[in-house]
Amino acid sequence: MHDVAQIAGVSLKTVSRVINGESGVSDDLAARVSAAVDQLRYRPDERARNLRQFDAPPTSIGFALVDVANPFFSAILRGLEEAARERNCLVLSGSSDGDPARQDQLIETFISRRVAGLIVVPSSGGLGPIAAEIVHGTPVVFLDCEPAQHDSDIVRTDHFGGAFAMTQHLIAHGHGDIAFFGDDASVFSAGLRIDGFRAAMAAARRRVDERWVLTGRHTPAEWQALITERLTSSRRRPTALVTAQNFVTMGAVRALHAMGIEQRVAHIGFDDIEMSDVVRPGVSVYPQDPTRLGQVACELLFRRLDGWAGPPERTILTSTIVERGSGEIRP
Amino acid sequence: MHDVAQIAGVSLKTVSRVINGESGVSDDLAARVSAAVDQLRYRPDERARNLRQFDAPPTSIGFALVDVANPFFSAILRGLEEAARERNCLVLSGSSDGDPARQDQLIETFISRRVAGLIVVPSSGGLGPIAAEIVHGTPVVFLDCEPAQHDSDIVRTDHFGGAFAMTQHLIAHGHGDIAFFGDDASVFSAGLRIDGFRAAMAAARRRVDERWVLTGRHTPAEWQALITERLTSSRRRPTALVTAQNFVTMGAVRALHAMGIEQRVAHIGFDDIEMSDVVRPGVSVYPQDPTRLGQVACELLFRRLDGWAGPPERTILTSTIVERGSGEIRP
DNA sequence: CTGAAAGCGCTTACAG
DNA sequence: CTGAAAGCGCTTACAG
């Protein structure tokens, strides 16, 4: 910028004015500055610019997620990108892999870059004491969870209701021996989904066989192996499966097909998966709307950044079971 | 930082030393500074820090991609994240949707934040004159393409060879009437894939029916409609399909199944898709390794950032057809 | 319409 | 071991 000013023979302030398109610069000077900018290929430094600006519109927000390679999260990210772009805002993102330490590190990275706000899908219940300290005054929107400690806006799918409906759907089709596979209950969304499953079973006076309830964090391939093992380990086997997450659902579909029992064991998954309509039988699911989740999260965040100071708001997106065949198999 | 120094009763420089873990600070002062840091919840401002540092290790790189919601790109992003994390580096990313103007805008955003380097999957041939100007001295690695104008490192899949092998595979299974569906030829990778298709057809002395060659940028649902239309519009129809991209492959699989001809029309896709092993018939593909692409791109970029000044390097990842059934159907 | 000064939050280069 | 000064690239607040 200094060089630009020198070449154009003007002051720094005049260069600044031209760059920012402020009015009140004579055409002559403006032209000279523009020429110098082109000549030097000058690009203003966004970091320095923001250093002195306090009331400037937000220039970046941070998104701490679990795994971008999971289509659920990448779809959310896409939704965020779109919503943020309308405000000329860049989304910084990173994967925590469900590791709280890594999540803390990510959030620290975002904060140290002075993001205007944060959107977080927590690894476990919420932020953890360290991250909570770090975040301090920065607005946060929690996605797909409800941390106990934090007073923030929230947008999430109806985990409990979805799992309840899925289980009820299987029960309505005559099932009593239903297995549940999903993330660890320490993850907020996973906990509610298990609760929903148990509640629906209890409401129908069905006993939950604990050998058929399996939770943890695994890849689709690991889930396939685990589910295969559970379905073969005992003499009796469940007549239906509830899978609480897309990677689990993929593993289950593969397991059922590999065992050749996909037409005999009913199955419903939480969250949709690719090709679920083409597989035979089609995979019945309780779909989420990740793009919408991202958009709503962005709206809530920007409202805060615009100064809105109302009480924390909670948006819960509900959905309806998509029947494709696998969930309608009878025992 | 000023406040921290005041509370601790030391100079700014001493605070700086403690924050950066420099040696040569008495335990007494270090303790006072740490206490003040905790009390004020002070976090150093990464932007200001980098402003004065010139030889500091890179703190961020930019990744301009086409669409994070496409699993191919999100897998690359994940690979980049991992590789960058080892160097304490954040990956900034954004989707261009194949729009050159949006890509320019993205790159400008990255450069204005002074990323140390750039990884780009270009919307079309390369960078476009504007972006090329903007990028200026910043190292760039091109992913899945080879821009004519730019002298940069490159890592990509063997588009030509893959498409050639796919087509050859179908021909070897007795096909002569082969349709090709894929991205617009103006996209570098898509162009090479069409070339590979045509070359394999020519090598086997098969005529390419141009009514069965369709290119453009569409969603999976749009591709399904387009492919359905092409397969029904004329009396004769191709006995085999080559789809040049994952979204096209998804559309084709759906189209074939919806028409009930998935067992009669052969099909191979470029790039793997989810559940391709579970669908009947299994979807044969020429898989890419997006995670590896990301890792290699990061390695190439960091080598430049470390000062390596050798000639531009080109890494081409080859692969082998995965036979799952659909590609082995005979006419 | 234009510019000189002070400042954003940090660091480097130097002096003690 | 510690700090005062100057600077990074920009902006704000003011004066002319």
Side-chain angles (χ1 to χ4, degrees):
Chain A
M1 180 161 173
H2 178 255
D3 300 341
V4 172
Q6 194 153 3
I7 290 187
V10 299
S11 72
L12 287 176
K13 178 59 202 166
T14 301
V15 177
S16 174
R17 271 191 265 260
V18 174
I19 291 167
N20 294 304
E22 289 173 32
S23 61
V25 180
S26 70
D27 293 350
D28 173 37
L29 290 195
R32 266 155 57 195
V33 169
S34 298
V37 164
D38 288 346
Q39 183 187 333
L40 294 174
R41 292 163 160 153
Y42 168 74
R43 296 287 146 183
D45 186 325
E46 194 65 32
R47 303 166 306 174
R49 174 179 269 175
N50 292 8
L51 219 49
R52 191 67 166 80
Q53 285 181 321
F54 276 89
D55 53 345
T59 176
S60 63
I61 61 175
F63 178 35
L65 48 88
V66 175
D67 176 17
V68 248
N70 183 323
F72 174 65
F73 293 107
S74 60
I76 295 176
L77 176 54
R78 194 66 162 91
L80 286 177
E81 266 188 27
E82 293 306 316
R85 212 172 74 93
E86 288 175 17
R87 315 267 306 224
N88 280 318
C89 198
L90 183 66
V91 181
L92 313 185
S93 69
S95 307
S96 72
D97 258 342
D99 176 0
R102 226 168 131 168
Q103 177 174 287
D104 283 354
Q105 191 188 320
L106 259 176
I107 290 177
E108 173 134 31
T109 301
F110 294 151
I111 293 292
S112 72
R113 280 175 174 78
R114 298 295 186 266
V115 293
L118 233 36
I119 294 172
V120 180
V121 189
S123 302
S124 58
L127 268 192
I130 305 163
E133 274 301 295
I134 296 171
V135 168
H136 193 212
T138 310
V140 184
V141 173
F142 285 100
L143 210 157
D144 249 357
C145 69
E146 292 185 16
Q149 76 270 40
H150 223 87
D151 239 19
S152 302
D153 292 324
I154 284 164
V155 53
R156 65 172 178 88
T157 305
D158 184 6
H159 307 297
F160 182 93
F164 192 95
M166 289 159 67
T167 310
Q168 212 173 32
H169 186 81
L170 292 172
I171 292 170
H173 282 79
H175 297 278
D177 298 330
I178 306 177
F180 181 96
F181 302 105
D183 269 331
D184 198 85
S186 68
V187 177
F188 179 86
S189 56
L192 275 190
R193 292 176 195 178
I194 297 181
D195 291 349
F197 165 70
R198 290 192 190 281
M201 291 292 272
R205 304 194 179 283
R206 308 286 172 166
R207 218 183 109 260
V208 173
D209 188 328
E210 296 300 334
R211 292 170 308 171
W212 295 340
V213 175
L214 192 63
T215 59
R217 183 174 165 72
H218 305 287
T219 64
E222 288 165 357
W223 274 115
Q224 176 179 354
L226 285 167
I227 292 170
T228 303
E229 188 267 329
R230 282 301 155 112
L231 292 184
T232 50
S233 61
S234 63
R235 280 218 347 262
R236 266 179 64 234
R237 87 175 163 219
T239 61
L241 313 182
V242 171
T243 51
Q245 189 242 84
N246 59 355
F247 277 1
V248 190
T249 304
M250 292 177 195
V253 171
R254 293 213 179 88
L256 293 174
H257 278 257
M259 298 169 72
I261 55 176
E262 74 274 13
Q263 299 285 1
R264 287 162 49 207
V265 175
H267 174 208
I268 304 191
F270 202 111
D271 198 15
D272 209 348
I273 61 171
E274 205 56 64
M275 296 286 111
S276 51
D277 52 330
V278 177
V279 174
R280 289 296 140 221
V283 184
S284 298
V285 299
Y286 181 87
Q288 300 189 74
D289 190 345
T291 311
R292 179 88 191 115
L293 281 170
Q295 283 167 344
V296 172
C298 227
E299 282 163 22
L300 290 170
L301 185 57
F302 275 119
R303 202 175 51 169
R304 294 282 167 198
L305 298 180
D306 288 340
W308 154 262
E313 196 158 300
R314 200 175 65 165
T315 305
I316 296 186
L317 303 180
T318 59
S319 177
T320 324
I321 287 175
V322 178
E323 304 188 3
R324 295 202 183 99
S326 74
E328 293 69 46
I329 294 172
R330 296 195 167 264
Chain B
M1 180 161 173
H2 178 256
D3 300 341
V4 171
Q6 193 153 4
I7 291 187
V10 299
S11 72
L12 287 176
K13 177 60 201 166
T14 301
V15 176
S16 174
R17 271 191 266 262
V18 173
I19 290 166
N20 294 305
E22 289 172 32
S23 61
V25 180
S26 70
D27 293 350
D28 174 37
L29 290 196
R32 266 155 56 196
V33 170
S34 298
V37 164
D38 288 347
Q39 182 188 333
L40 293 175
R41 292 162 161 155
Y42 168 74
R43 297 286 145 182
D45 186 325
E46 194 65 32
R47 303 166 308 175
R49 174 179 270 176
N50 292 6
L51 219 50
R52 191 67 167 82
Q53 285 182 323
F54 277 88
D55 53 345
T59 176
S60 62
I61 61 176
F63 178 34
L65 48 88
V66 175
D67 176 16
V68 249
N70 183 322
F72 173 66
F73 293 106
S74 61
I76 295 176
L77 176 54
R78 194 65 161 90
L80 286 177
E81 267 189 24
E82 294 305 318
R85 212 173 72 95
E86 289 175 16
R87 315 267 307 224
N88 281 318
C89 199
L90 184 66
V91 181
L92 313 186
S93 69
S95 306
S96 72
D97 258 343
D99 176 0
R102 224 168 132 170
Q103 177 176 287
D104 284 353
Q105 191 187 322
L106 260 176
I107 290 177
E108 172 134 30
T109 302
F110 294 152
I111 293 292
S112 72
R113 281 175 173 80
R114 297 295 186 267
V115 293
L118 233 38
I119 293 171
V120 181
V121 190
S123 302
S124 58
L127 269 190
I130 305 161
E133 273 303 293
I134 295 170
V135 167
H136 193 211
T138 311
V140 184
V141 173
F142 285 101
L143 211 156
D144 249 357
C145 69
E146 292 185 18
Q149 76 269 39
H150 223 89
D151 238 22
S152 301
D153 292 324
I154 284 163
V155 52
R156 65 171 178 88
T157 304
D158 184 6
H159 307 297
F160 182 93
F164 192 95
M166 289 159 67
T167 310
Q168 213 172 30
H169 185 83
L170 292 172
I171 292 171
H173 282 80
H175 297 279
D177 298 331
I178 307 178
F180 181 96
F181 301 106
D183 269 331
D184 198 84
S186 67
V187 177
F188 179 86
S189 56
L192 276 190
R193 292 177 195 176
I194 297 181
D195 291 347
F197 164 71
R198 290 193 190 279
M201 291 292 271
R205 304 192 178 286
R206 309 285 173 168
R207 218 184 108 260
V208 174
D209 189 329
E210 297 301 333
R211 294 170 305 171
W212 296 339
V213 175
L214 193 63
T215 59
R217 184 174 164 74
H218 305 287
T219 64
E222 288 164 357
W223 274 114
Q224 176 178 356
L226 285 168
I227 292 170
T228 302
E229 189 266 329
R230 283 301 155 112
L231 292 183
T232 50
S233 60
S234 64
R235 283 225 334 271
R236 265 179 65 234
R237 89 175 161 217
T239 61
L241 313 182
V242 171
T243 52
Q245 191 241 84
N246 59 355
F247 277 0
V248 189
T249 304
M250 292 176 195
V253 171
R254 292 212 179 88
L256 293 174
H257 278 257
M259 299 169 72
I261 55 174
E262 74 274 14
Q263 300 284 1
R264 286 164 46 209
V265 175
H267 174 208
I268 304 191
F270 203 112
D271 199 14
D272 209 348
I273 62 171
E274 205 57 63
M275 294 286 113
S276 52
D277 52 330
V278 177
V279 174
R280 289 294 139 220
V283 184
S284 298
V285 298
Y286 181 86
Q288 299 190 75
D289 189 344
T291 312
R292 179 87 191 116
L293 281 170
Q295 283 168 345
V296 172
C298 228
E299 281 163 23
L300 289 171
L301 185 58
F302 276 119
R303 203 175 51 168
R304 294 281 167 199
L305 298 181
D306 289 341
W308 154 261
E313 196 159 300
R314 200 175 66 166
T315 305
I316 297 186
L317 303 181
T318 60
S319 176
T320 324
I321 287 176
V322 179
E323 304 189 2
R324 295 201 182 99
S326 75
E328 293 69 46
I329 294 172
R330 297 197 165 263

